[in-house]
Amino acid sequence: CAFACCPPGKPGFAGGEDVLGWNLLNQIGARHDVWALTTSQNKTSIEQGVSEGLINHVRFQYLDLPFWLRPMLRIQGGHQAYYFLWQIKAYFVARRLHRKQRFDLFHHITYANDWMASFIGGLLPIPYIRGPGGGAHRTPKGFLKEYSLNGKLWELVRSAGQWAFRHDPFFLISQNRAKAILVCTSESMAQLPQSWEQKAHFFPVSGVSREDLETEAPSPSSGEIFEVLSAGKLIRIKGFALAIRAFKKFSDLHPNTRFTIAGRGPEEVHLNKLISSFGLEEKVILCGEVPRDNLLNKMAAVDVFLFTSLRDGGGTVVTEAMAVGTPVVCLDAAGPGLHINENCGLKVVPASPEQAVEGLAAALDVLY
């Protein structure tokens, strides 16, 4: 079950989750015959990838809910409700296929949050693997003031919804039936009941492949400017305002610096105002979306990759920066906090926004 699935570099709708789904299917398909249940949202990109020979031994079965439910995918939180309903339909499709194919194993790959039921995993009578997934990570205490009122309300709704879903009988049945639970954050591992701990394994929720790790990237520039890069969707939980405030403190000490942020999103207007208020128009650049191959090259050519997400189970861009040998500065939380150690970057414990800004600026200074 790979609801989100799309070849890297092709149009998708779920970002890093799409790439995760595709690359895991590719690895599983290298050793087994696979039937993949997925949404038709990425059908064009998937079929292009298949025709180009980017994946083998995987047969895609597309299924969707009625078209009038698709607006749910564009509403915050609506895509999770849509997926919950989609899974019910996926179970009946899987059951019908199982009668013909007699599958040996079911693997629930994407949207494997640690709080949502897997109907196929809970009801199809074959061994079941879940993940990688997270969900228990939350915005650190004290950082909610970084959010708008709507953002604060959404965090409350998210926490309440997760509590309710974790008490869903189908969730409990599917978790009890799982032979292995792949978990991507320390927070998700810590919230598992003791009865599930023995079958839980850490597994990063990123779609970085061996080919990415072997890519020959350009050497960092030896110019006079110290280059800092960040990337992601411009939304409040990504913490780009914290990054800009930290860079302001850092650049006051070192004028020969520049900060580039790649991505688009609803926070763009707010971030531009913040940049103007600091007088950083010439030093902080919002460059818009960058194709993945170009982004990897940009990562390799800068001095530091700065990632300040307040709540991110994966942080694929952090792993991509590591893949091209660029040191990372990030918050010590969730996925990035699990990936980064003293050999590849610096982490800042997020105690408060003010402390985080000071710590991030100090980390940039160390690497400078």
Side-chain angles (χ1 to χ4, degrees), residues 156-205:
L156 291 174
V157 170
R158 178 178 181 269
S159 295
Q162 287 188 0
W163 183 91
F165 276 117
R166 286 196 179 102
H167 290 79
D168 173 8
F170 282 108
F171 172 74
L172 298 174
I173 291 169
S174 62
Q175 292 292 87
N176 285 330
R177 283 205 69 248
K179 297 295 184 183
I181 301 173
L182 309 182
V183 178
C184 68
T185 68
S186 299
E187 294 90 337
S188 291
M189 184 68 80
Q191 68 84 35
L192 287 175
Q194 189 173 6
S195 59
W196 298 341
E197 285 180 354
Q198 75 278 6
K199 58 185 179 182
H201 310 271
F202 276 120
F203 196 102
V205 60

Side-chain angles (χ1 to χ4, degrees), residues 66-81:
F67 73 93
W68 51 269
L69 288 175
R70 289 198 180 179
M72 295 172 67
L73 293 169
R74 298 192 292 270
I75 303 171
Q76 187 175 31
H79 64 288
Q80 300 286 6

